[in-house]
Amino acid sequence: MCGIVGYIGPREASEVVIGGLQRLEYRGYDSAGIAVYDPEAGLQLRRSVGKLGSLVARVAREPAQGHLGIGHTRWATHGGVTEENAHPHRDASGAIVVIQNGIVENYLELKARLAAEGYSFQSQTDTEVIAHLVGHYYRLEGGLEPAMRRALAELRGGNAVVAICAHEPGHLVAARLGNAGGVVLGLGQGETFVASDVPAILDHTRDLVFLEDRELAVVSAAGARISTLAGEPVSRAPVSIPWDPVAAAKGDYKHFMQKEIHEQPRALMDVLRGRIDQDGGQVHLEDLRLDDAALRRVERIYAVACGTAWHAALLAKFMVEGLARVRVEVDYASEFRYRQPVLGADALLLAITQSGETVDTLAAMEEARAQGVPSVAIVNAIGSQAARVADAGPVYLHAGPEIGVASTKAFTSMLVASYLLALRLGQARGTLAPAQVREHLQALVELPGKAALVIERATPLCEELAERYHRASDALFLGRQFNYPIALEGALKLKEISYIHAEGYPAGEMKHGPIALIDEAMPVVCIAPRDGIYEKMLSNIEQVRARHGQVIAVGTEGDELLAAKADHVIVVPATLPLLQPVLTAIPLQIFAYAMALRRGCDVDQPRNLAKSVTVE
Ligand code: F6R
């Protein structure tokens, strides 16, 4: 969840590190800090509570000079949001500083042991324990690298750790333990970068090396030497990442979320690019390592994900069951990993994740692997952990970096990627003839244009709706069948960025409880495109109206009947029923964005949230 950056090279480290942290602030924004080393000034720490801006102001007042530095944006786990708890943390000698992403699960035990040996603590964090432990072993071993090895060998949990030592200014040491925190090294010309996530270093280099579990890197300006924690040398060629740094900048948009909503037509094109043969009625997923025979053997699929990606998994179930006739079970990854699932032979795990670093999703993949079940990951972040551990291959979204904490373009791209996977399965298993696949492909290629139309039309309408409803304290989102997950997603978007309490519900279930909440102050968003369940939805809308709820309907263009029944209608173009959620989701993103803006909320960095959830 926290963001980590390190730099060594000819430039001012504070500038490079803060620049990188700016790209990572979506990962955590409770507090931030840097440590920079200079032979004359020594180790200079600057830490600040609040968003990165307050650290930037602090560094402007009290510059930190030098060519070796590390920095951190924090999403608090252990200890409150205070300057003492902000990273970096020093060891007892003051010569070593450490930053960490993750959780040290046995930190109380380690802290008690260190305290008994006379160490005193300035913070409530688990990271300070690592600093003292590294310092402790430094005194015994006389070097940062062996000290890190010994200290890290004692940690339990998943962590990414970076340390520098004033006595060893020629390098920094970075390590990864478990799945809770990625570490990527960026190889430049005479300079090297370290980060928890790719966007932090894209401005400088695209030659990247990802550390694997229990690996450590000694990073100098000339490059990096990697080994396992046990000391075995590792040789790994850098991968080149095609992301454009401009894509990770806000451009003319007010917020990343707004930019990413508007990027959806492009993202929906990119997820299809090179994967469809319309003439032949074929889908080709380039990285999928399952041939037709393997796809035919799949008896059941376990779709696991968290949050918005879990909503995509609910829809993936409809798609795969509907098009390929393979049974799908959907699980929250955080539940799946602890429920001792019985997966059985001929199963496939489908992990859906934007970041590819969500710790629960990675643990679910591990559980599958332990049971001999292969995994496919529908994933956005190229080279992320999920993409690498998916032994049956990643299906990349190619949506480009998603920075806004609320997922938008990744969600709609996940739906299309799931659809492609369902078609690919159906094609291999003979449930879909090429002519049928062609019909689906035609609908898919029309989607980006339709999405653009939705964005254009829904934006002014949602601004009006926000003007009218932004003072609401609660909202209900109703949908049925394929649009029930969209009701969940609409409610999640609204609550996470506007702090309005919102619930998503299957419309048919409303009368079993939530209907008691409806009164004239309650906006009720009803997703009612003209599909097989449309008339049932209309009846549910009547039930809301009878309780004087304010009906905001999302329906198919040209639907006069719906327009007559609802207080407000946002229309979307028609498409195939299973693809309709791609279009009905978009106005709900725009609605949440407009509401949050009108309420003065921090859209890209909502309170308490972080983009990559690398802790349990
Ligand atoms: C909500 C949102 C989160 C993520 C969830 C999983 O807008 O973005 O609910 O969907 O944290 O993240 P990934 O997809 O990176 O695994």
Side-chain angles (χ1 to χ4, degrees):
M1 324 264 292
C2 305
I4 280 180
V5 181
Y7 174 74
I8 183 162
R11 293 191 249 180
E12 272 305 334
S14 64
E15 285 169 22
V16 178
V17 168
I18 288 176
L21 292 178
Q22 276 161 344
R23 298 271 196 233
L24 291 187
E25 204 186 3
Y26 59 87
R27 289 183 73 109
Y29 33 83
D30 294 333
S31 59
I34 57 167
V36 175
Y37 174 79
D38 175 74
E40 278 179 15
L43 264 179
Q44 308 140 77
L45 253 72
R46 305 286 182 264
R47 303 186 296 184
S48 215
V49 167
K51 300 223 164 140
L52 200 56
S54 60
L55 177 70
V56 172
R58 176 94 190 251
V59 173
R61 284 196 310 274
E62 300 167 57
Q65 277 152 9
H67 302 285
L68 167 68
I70 55 177
H72 186 270
T73 57
R74 179 166 186 248
W75 186 85
T77 57
H78 294 66
V81 180
T82 61
E83 190 172 322
E84 294 70 43
N85 288 337
H87 300 214
H89 290 283
R90 281 184 195 263
D91 80 323
S93 75
I96 292 172
V97 280
V98 170
I99 51 179
Q100 190 232 168
N101 173 25
I103 288 182
V104 181
E105 289 174 1
N106 55 337
Y107 97 104
L108 281 178
E109 183 189 317
L110 293 171
K111 189 170 181 174
R113 201 183 86 202
L114 287 162
E117 290 183 35
Y119 289 93
S120 62
F121 291 82
Q122 316 301 317
S123 76
Q124 289 90 49
T125 65
D126 51 348
T127 304
E128 196 184 358
V129 169
I130 307 179
H132 285 308
L133 209 54
V134 175
H136 178 78
Y137 286 120
Y138 187 86
R139 273 181 294 285
L140 299 177
E141 298 282 345
L144 185 59
E145 180 185 349
M148 279 280 276
R149 276 187 211 289
R150 285 194 63 178
L152 297 185
E154 295 191 14
L155 304 188
R156 259 202 335 264
N159 323 84
V161 184
V162 186
I164 57 179
C165 173
H167 308 312
E168 301 180 18
H171 54 240
L172 44 82
V173 179
R176 171 179 192 151
L177 294 177
N179 287 331
V183 177
V184 55
L185 312 175
L187 310 180
Q189 298 294 323
E191 55 185 355
T192 312
F193 309 81
V194 179
S196 41
D197 215 347
V198 173
I201 42 188
L202 272 185
D203 276 347
H204 309 295
T205 176
R206 310 234 184 126
D207 291 334
L208 308 178
V209 178
F210 294 89
L211 288 194
E212 296 291 348
D213 183 16
R214 303 195 81 73
E215 285 181 354
L216 173 145
V218 178
V219 178
S220 68
R225 178 170 51 77
I226 303 174
S227 53
T228 64
L229 264 196
E232 285 294 311
V234 172
S235 137
R236 183 165 305 132
V239 289
S240 193
I241 294 288
W243 279 356
D244 175 358
V246 178
K250 235 183 314 202
D252 290 336
Y253 291 95
K254 203 162 174 193
H255 296 100
F256 279 111
M257 182 181 179
Q258 184 193 27
K259 174 176 181 253
E260 289 154 8
I261 288 172
H262 283 260
E263 280 174 350
Q264 286 177 109
R266 203 259 314 133
L268 296 178
M269 252 184 265
D270 286 347
V271 66
L272 295 176
R273 207 179 290 284
R275 289 173 166 167
I276 60 175
D277 164 10
Q278 273 189 277
D279 292 338
Q282 299 274 323
V283 169
H284 167 70
L285 296 171
E286 66 284 5
D287 294 319
L288 191 68
R289 293 193 277 274
L290 296 172
D291 59 14
D292 281 2
L295 290 171
R296 276 197 290 273
R297 274 197 303 276
V298 176
E299 284 284 327
R300 83 195 69 74
I301 294 179
Y302 297 90
V304 295
C306 302
T308 284
W310 183 76
H311 300 153
L314 292 177
L315 277 157
K317 173 182 168 76
F318 281 117
M319 294 169 182
V320 171
E321 291 192 342
L323 300 173
R325 309 306 296 153
V326 181
R327 191 156 28 114
V328 181
E329 276 184 36
V330 183
D331 271 79
Y332 286 113
S334 53
E335 291 296 318
F336 181 88
R337 63 183 294 190
Y338 293 115
R339 79 167 165 85
Q340 297 180 306
V342 181
L343 304 184
D346 299 324
L348 179 69
L349 187 100
L350 173 62
I352 306 185
T353 168
Q354 187 286 128
S355 62
E357 300 290 350
T358 300
V359 70
D360 286 319
T361 307
L362 294 173
M365 294 173 83
E366 234 167 68
E367 174 66 36
R369 196 212 302 247
Q371 294 196 32
V373 168
S375 300
V376 170
I378 290 183
V379 56
N380 192 34
I382 294 171
S384 58
Q385 182 73 354
R388 284 176 287 135
V389 300
D391 38 14
V395 175
Y396 280 121
L397 301 179
H398 295 304
E402 188 180 69
I403 310 290
V405 163
S407 186
T408 52
K409 64 175 178 175
F411 176 64
T412 47
S413 300
M414 283 167 185
L415 301 189
V416 171
S418 303
Y419 206 86
L420 289 175
L421 183 63
L423 290 176
R424 177 72 191 88
L425 271 159
Q427 181 183 309
R429 300 167 73 88
T431 56
L432 293 170
Q436 288 169 299
V437 175
R438 260 197 296 277
E439 195 190 323
H440 290 286
L441 295 183
Q442 183 55 37
L444 281 169
V445 298
E446 288 170 7
L447 264 189
K450 290 181 177 177
L453 216 61
V454 174
I455 295 167
E456 191 188 314
R457 287 183 187 159
T459 301
L461 195 53
C462 287
E463 282 162 10
E464 282 169 33
L465 290 172
E467 192 54 43
R468 173 141 179 200
Y469 292 110
H470 69 275
R471 287 194 195 84
S473 55
D474 304 272
L476 195 56
F477 287 71
L478 301 176
R480 300 184 76 125
Q481 203 193 22
F482 310 145
N483 282 291
Y484 161 51
I486 299 304
L488 296 177
E489 175 60 8
L492 178 61
K493 286 288 93 95
L494 185 67
K495 75 182 114 182
E496 70 178 326
I497 60 169
S498 76
Y499 316 140
I500 294 173
H501 168 247
E503 268 193 74
Y505 235 80
E509 274 291 302
M510 173 186 64
K511 55 189 171 296
H512 300 288
I515 199 164
L517 296 169
I518 298 175
D519 61 16
E520 53 289 339
M522 169 80 99
V524 183
V525 179
C526 300
I527 307 147
R530 274 198 177 271
D531 56 12
I533 205 88
Y534 169 73
E535 288 180 354
K536 306 285 174 206
M537 247 338 270
L538 282 190
S539 310
N540 298 136
I541 290 175
E542 289 293 5
Q543 292 157 4
V544 174
R545 273 161 51 98
R547 274 86 194 165
H548 309 292
Q550 304 292 310
V551 175
I552 301 170
V554 177
T556 312
E557 60 192 352
D559 186 347
E560 301 297 335
L561 189 57
L562 185 66
K565 286 189 188 301
D567 296 285
H568 316 273
V569 187
I570 306 173
V571 293
V572 302
T575 179
L576 294 178
L578 264 171
L579 284 174
Q580 199 70 65
V582 176
L583 299 179
T584 53
I586 295 173
L588 305 190
Q589 301 166 346
I590 300 173
F591 177 61
Y593 175 75
M595 292 281 272
L597 213 59
R598 189 62 190 75
R599 287 163 68 89
C601 300
D602 189 341
V603 176
D604 280 336
Q605 295 175 346
R607 68 184 177 213
N608 306 336
L609 290 170
K611 186 71 179 163
S612 297
V613 184
T614 53
V615 296
E616 279 191 57

